[in-house]
Amino acid sequence: MSAPLVECEGLVHIYKAADIEVVALQGLDLVVEPGEAVAIVGRSGSGKTTLMNILSGVEPPSAGRAVVGGRDLSRMSEAERESYRRDIVGYVKQHSHSNLAPELDALTNVRTPMLAKQPSGDGRHQALALLDRLGIAHHASRRPAELSGGEAQRLALAVALANRPALLLADEATAELDSRASGELLGDLRAILAETGTAAILVTHDHMVESYVDRVVQIRDGRTSTETRAGEELAILDRAGRLQLPRSYVEQLGFGSRVRLVLKEGHIEIRP
């Protein structure tokens, strides 16, 4: 078996402002295999965007372990972070236009990261092929402001995929689209991921995304809590033996801050 592409263990991140500390991640664990597509869901403030910022190399974790493609994200210099963002990961931020250079046309937006990786190369043919694969090659000479919301989102994905990263990160990639445009975009993206072998982590509130990924991981209070595969929801048991019960279960059963665990043959009972 190949090694996981993404390994997060006990990941902690603390934001500090004046005398206030906000703990955004509280010991999060996550593993993503090469070529796997994973959706990350959770309420606002659960730590989803913080996780994306760490995995994209924007900021290091406060504690814990985060390794992507064999690179330890907590130990990289700024030069190593630049190399990581250029060679390993493609990041689509939440608002499509924040990923694009407004003064450049679509083709040049896609070619720019290619030139950063291979200064002596051209990349025109490869960039046009990617725009065509995403259905916007006929807009190659247009600037971002001349594109619709769906077209701008497709261009943002093309820029993130330009250097054929091992890992694509997308924060709310369908948030600005209607259901039809979302479905079309997700279908095209899934096909490209399958062709290139690129893994993807998609942060989303859009339930439609769940049909285009291999599994769905829910984050609650800065930790992974449940995982859904093929319609079956599983609770996640972390390396320390901690288990997060779904909030609806806790409320329905009237659990307080303490529960009793009873070991039975082949299973464990949880009692108030």
Side-chain angles (χ1 to χ4, degrees):
M1 293 179 62
S2 60
L5 177 65
V6 178
E7 291 183 275
C8 297
E9 183 180 352
L11 204 60
V12 174
H13 195 68
I14 302 172
Y15 291 104
K16 297 181 180 180
D19 296 328
I20 300 174
E21 290 188 351
V22 177
V23 183
L25 297 177
Q26 304 185 55
L28 179 141
D29 295 328
L30 179 68
V31 173
V32 178
E33 302 296 336
E36 185 180 24
V38 177
I40 302 288
V41 301
R43 296 179 179 179
S44 297
S46 60
K48 304 186 302 298
T49 297
T50 299
L51 174 63
M52 298 295 269
N53 286 340
I54 290 173
L55 295 180
S56 65
V58 172
E59 52 189 330
S62 302
R65 181 170 174 266
V67 177
V68 179
R71 304 196 187 193
D72 188 337
L73 303 188
S74 65
R75 299 177 179 273
M76 293 193 298
S77 65
E78 190 53 43
E80 289 170 333
R81 289 186 182 279
E82 287 293 332
S83 171
Y84 170 78
R85 289 191 287 264
R86 183 183 65 239
D87 300 335
I88 303 297
V89 68
Y91 187 19
V92 182
K93 300 175 185 176
Q94 184 167 353
H95 302 290
S96 58
H97 284 277
S98 64
N99 300 276
L100 307 173
E103 72 280 5
L104 303 179
D105 61 31
L107 179 61
T108 309
N109 262 284
V110 180
R111 290 178 64 197
T112 298
M114 296 178 179
L115 294 173
K117 187 173 183 178
Q118 298 179 339
S120 61
D122 179 272
R124 180 183 176 86
H125 177 75
Q126 183 182 342
L128 279 172
L130 186 52
L131 289 173
D132 182 61
R133 192 66 187 82
L134 284 162
I136 54 172
H138 56 296
H139 292 324
S141 62
R142 292 189 179 184
R143 295 182 180 181
E146 300 174 297
L147 302 176
S148 69
E151 291 164 349
Q153 190 64 59
R154 286 172 176 270
L155 177 56
L157 282 168
V159 172
L161 292 166
N163 284 336
R164 300 195 67 156
L167 175 65
L168 172 70
L169 303 171
D171 193 350
E172 299 289 359
T174 62
E176 301 172 354
L177 309 180
D178 60 30
S179 58
R180 178 180 177 181
S182 294
E184 293 173 348
L185 175 63
L186 291 168
D188 288 343
L189 175 59
R190 182 65 193 190
I192 292 172
L193 295 176
E195 291 170 5
T196 60
T198 301
I201 299 177
L202 312 177
V203 163
T204 185
H205 284 94
D206 184 356
H207 292 292
M208 183 179 291
V209 173
E210 299 175 12
S211 300
Y212 295 87
V213 296
D214 298 304
R215 58 190 170 104
V216 179
V217 174
Q218 180 166 349
I219 293 181
R220 193 177 77 204
D221 300 329
R223 294 179 183 171
T224 47
S225 60
T226 61
E227 176 179 304
T228 303
R229 294 174 182 258
E232 182 182 14
E233 187 176 32
L234 304 172
I236 295 175
L237 187 67
D238 69 17
R239 293 173 186 263
R242 293 172 297 200
L243 177 71
Q244 282 203 48
L245 299 177
R247 190 181 301 275
S248 60
Y249 289 16
V250 173
E251 293 172 350
Q252 289 177 35
L253 295 172
F255 286 165
S257 60
R258 300 288 188 278
V259 295
R260 293 181 176 84
L261 301 181
V262 181
L263 181 62
K264 298 286 187 176
E265 185 176 352
H267 68 281
I268 298 172
E269 290 183 359
I270 303 177
R271 300 175 181 174

